[in-house]
Amino acid sequence: MERGRYVDFLRAWAIVLVVVGHWVITGLVRHPDGTLGAPELLASVPWTQWLTLGFQIMPLFFLAGGHAAAGSWERARARGGSAAGWVGRRAVRLLLPVGAYCGLVLTGLGVASLAGVDRGTLALVGWAMAMQFWFLPVYLLLSALTPVSYAAHRRWGVWVPVGMGVVAVGVSWGTASGLGTAAGADLGAGSLSVADAFGSLNYVLVWGVVYQLGFCWRDRLLGGRTWAGSALVLGGGAAFAALVGAGPFPVSLILVTGQDPSNTNPPSAAMLAWSVGQVGLALLAAPAVRRGLERERVWRGVGRLGGLSMTLYLWHMLPVLVVAAAFYLPGLAPRPAFGSAAWWAWRVPWVLVLGAVLACVVRALMPLERLLASLGGRLRPDARLRPGLRVWAGLAAAVPSLAYFAGHGFAPGGRLSLPAVLGLAVGTALVLVSVPGRGPGGGQGPDTARAADGRDCGRAARGGGAVAVAGAREEVGGGVVTASGARVQPGDGAGATAGTRAELGEGSVAAYGAREELGDGALAAAGTRAELGEGSAASGAHKELGDGALAAAGTRAELGEGSAASGAREELGDGSVAAARAQAGPDDGSVTAVTAGPG
């Protein structure tokens, strides 16, 4: 079973648990004066802090992200790509949906403010809609540092996360002991002390350790060795127990107001230990989960969740506001004592109702998703972008703004922060305008695939919000591509080639008579050609040694991180598989297999 499916499972599983965890710990209370409050469950009912050991699952997302980024960056380098071009492409994937989300939320808060909604309510809503944002600036930073961190990995291997972990422990103990609690620098809505700035290093160090372990896993420095997973579980678990039991760190792996030190703000040595143990569990569980993912029905479900991961992550708190307005404000919701047995019993219908509302929200957002997919296919920085000053300047503006929203909400004190809003807008714009106006593979733009002899293979289908050409269609990144009438969920961009084309975790499969670079990139050539990451075999194959490329006309290629089959097969990760000679639906983004042959 390919590791690519398991990597995508980890990402989907992490997102689902984050969503459900946030819903479980979010409780609403209607006060006698008719206003709503949201007591903090972890602070009001301290024993619930133990639940965070199961719901703090984001280490798996960073592990999977590092695994995917390593393969993506290696392929980009092999094609002559630059660091700025690669980082810009990754940033576009994240900033487009985040920018759209922020724009809609900020517009709604602005309208509510003009309509006279009290500032306390605005602050509460703004906090609820930004509570998940801590992940975004950290992930953008780690992506931007990937060219450097991966170079270090290639030279020193597992010693890189070990060294980072040692430094992270030192930063954590320094922060916990009050190092640098001196004067702060005023940043508008708050202040950043020397201790805060020092401790913030651990956002990159702690999560960077897990990200680097993803590199090690991909390069088989961890995977396949049972003793490695067991050692990580035992070592991480023992260290966590010691740090929590003997102090000074709390058990909660989610921020609790007034708790000092915290395990998350910034990440502590205890969070590092738990993350290492969780990585070990992921390695040990891999064989059993891979066997389950061999079932196509299970894999299709995982693929759909993966395609919707960013939408679910960004919008999952909106259903809480909808249910609050529909049931709590009018006094229709039950009112058991907060944290009582009856309150916990009502958590089940609460989560089910929120899930139903979120499904409606996702469906309503489909036109926006298609539009973003279309833009993502057109606004992709050139892989060979040099020197890329606008990309770096854009990230320098966007990351602090996202960090501000994560720490203060969209409307601290009931007011919008103009500097943060402008920072995100300008930063996103700078990354997007780094597009040179042509596709990365040559002179044509992303709407057109060109055959090896120079002829256009097709044009993009209109209306569906994704790029398609006669012959095949694919969604790259977070999107899902299926064949034989399956629906495509738009992801981070799209493109297609005539014939069959796939980009999988560690390599790519390319189509008959076409060439295109999409998302993280793919190769195509006349005949059928597969460029693989770790090699495989296919009947009727032509083998190119060196980088381990295989080709087979109309056959199945087993890739390092996934697999492709002529006809109807899909694999997600940093890319996707399109069906042989599939035809793109013009309006609804569907894909229907026509034939399974290469010609």
Side-chain angles (χ1 to χ4, degrees):
M1 181 63 190
E2 313 90 342
R3 281 185 302 172
R5 289 193 175 192
Y6 185 56
V7 170
D8 290 331
F9 166 80
L10 291 180
R11 289 193 273 204
W13 179 245
I15 292 297
V16 168
L17 279 190
V18 166
V19 170
V20 174
H22 282 169
W23 286 349
V24 168
I25 67 173
T26 300
L28 299 177
V29 173
R30 188 175 187 271
H31 299 304
D33 61 359
T35 60
L36 294 182
E40 190 174 350
L41 178 65
L42 300 180
S44 303
V45 188
W47 69 264
T48 59
Q49 295 180 25
W50 287 93
L51 299 178
T52 65
L53 301 186
F55 284 116
Q56 179 51 274
I57 205 76
M58 290 310 288
L60 296 184
F61 204 97
F62 285 100
L63 176 70
H67 185 290
S72 170
W73 171 235
E74 273 205 338
R75 294 191 300 274
R77 283 196 315 160
R79 297 192 307 272
S82 68
W86 183 85
V87 170
R89 283 168 172 253
R90 307 282 286 194
V92 165
R93 294 180 179 186
L94 198 61
L95 289 177
L96 269 179
V98 169
Y101 173 82
C102 292
L104 291 173
V105 172
L106 290 168
T107 298
L109 290 172
V111 171
S113 179
L114 293 175
V117 176
D118 68 277
R119 291 180 177 175
T121 300
L122 291 176
L124 179 62
V125 171
W127 167 81
M129 297 299 284
M131 63 181 295
Q132 73 276 32
F133 264 38
W134 72 267
F135 163 79
L136 301 172
V138 176
Y139 201 79
L140 276 171
L141 275 176
L142 291 177
S143 293
L145 293 172
T146 296
V148 175
S149 60
Y150 190 70
H153 161 77
R154 296 291 292 176
R155 183 166 184 176
W156 294 297
V158 294
W159 291 109
V160 177
V162 169
M164 293 173 65
V166 170
V167 177
V169 170
V171 170
S172 180
W173 280 103
T175 302
S177 63
L179 178 66
T181 52
D186 189 9
L187 295 180
S191 61
L192 181 68
S193 68
V194 173
D196 292 334
F198 179 68
S200 295
L201 293 173
N202 264 8
Y203 282 104
V204 174
L205 290 171
V206 170
W207 298 118
V209 167
V210 187
Y211 196 76
Q212 294 282 149
L213 289 176
F215 296 170
C216 297
W217 180 29
R218 176 189 175 270
D219 287 350
R220 301 182 184 275
L221 300 180
L222 298 177
R225 297 186 173 103
T226 303
W227 65 265
S230 300
L232 292 175
V233 170
L234 294 175
F240 179 81
L243 291 168
V244 171
F249 301 103
V251 69
S252 177
L253 295 175
I254 295 178
L255 181 64
V256 178
T257 300
Q259 200 170 71
D260 187 27
S262 166
N263 282 328
T264 61
N265 188 30
S268 69
M271 175 64 82
L272 174 62
W274 188 257
S275 299
V276 169
Q278 200 169 103
V279 170
L281 281 176
L283 297 179
L284 293 177
V289 177
R290 285 176 187 145
R291 287 193 294 270
L293 292 174
E294 289 178 350
R295 302 175 182 176
E296 288 305 310
R297 182 175 299 179
V298 174
W299 171 236
R300 284 196 295 270
V302 172
R304 292 189 184 99
L305 279 176
L308 294 171
S309 60
M310 181 57 72
T311 304
L312 297 176
Y313 188 78
L314 289 175
W315 291 95
H316 72 271
M317 290 304 290
L318 179 60
V320 175
L321 302 181
V322 172
V323 171
F327 296 101
Y328 281 84
L329 281 178
L332 301 177
R335 303 182 189 179
F338 189 79
S340 65
W343 184 88
W344 282 105
W346 276 103
R347 291 288 88 184
V348 175
W350 163 261
V351 169
L352 293 177
V353 169
L354 292 179
V357 175
L358 182 58
C360 295
V361 170
V362 170
R363 188 173 184 85
L365 289 170
M366 280 303 169
L368 176 61
E369 294 291 316
R370 295 190 182 108
L371 175 61
L372 293 177
S374 179
L375 290 174
R378 291 166 172 79
L379 301 176
R380 293 177 296 147
D382 194 306
R384 291 175 290 276
L385 182 64
R386 304 176 193 280
L389 295 178
R390 283 176 293 188
V391 168
W392 306 120
L395 290 176
V399 167
S401 296
L402 291 173
Y404 178 86
F405 290 141
H408 301 86
F410 282 113
R415 295 184 177 89
L416 302 182
S417 171
L418 185 59
V421 173
L422 289 177
L424 179 59
V426 171
T428 302
L430 284 172
V431 172
L432 296 182
V433 298
S434 63
V435 180
R438 62 182 189 139
Q444 71 270 22
D447 287 350
T448 306
R450 186 170 296 274
D453 60 3
R455 295 174 297 171
D456 288 345
C457 293
R459 294 292 302 175
R462 307 295 180 186
V467 177
V469 295
R473 179 190 188 280
E474 83 173 307
E475 296 287 345
V476 180
V480 179
V481 177
T482 58
S484 300
R487 181 172 184 78
V488 177
Q489 301 291 344
D492 297 316
T497 63
T500 307
R501 183 229 181 248
E503 177 177 340
L504 306 177
E506 295 304 305
S508 58
V509 174
Y512 173 77
R515 181 184 189 283
E516 182 173 9
E517 295 180 36
L518 299 176
D520 285 340
L523 292 175
T528 304
R529 181 178 186 279
E531 183 165 347
L532 308 180
E534 295 174 5
S536 85
S539 64
H542 170 71
K543 188 171 185 179
E544 294 180 5
L545 300 178
D547 285 333
L550 278 171
T555 60
R556 183 179 188 277
E558 281 295 327
L559 305 182
E561 289 305 301
S563 63
S566 171
R569 174 83 171 157
E570 66 166 313
E571 188 72 45
L572 305 179
D574 276 341
S576 57
V577 176
R581 296 195 56 164
Q583 177 181 346
D587 294 316
D588 62 358
S590 63
V591 177
T592 305
V594 179
T595 67

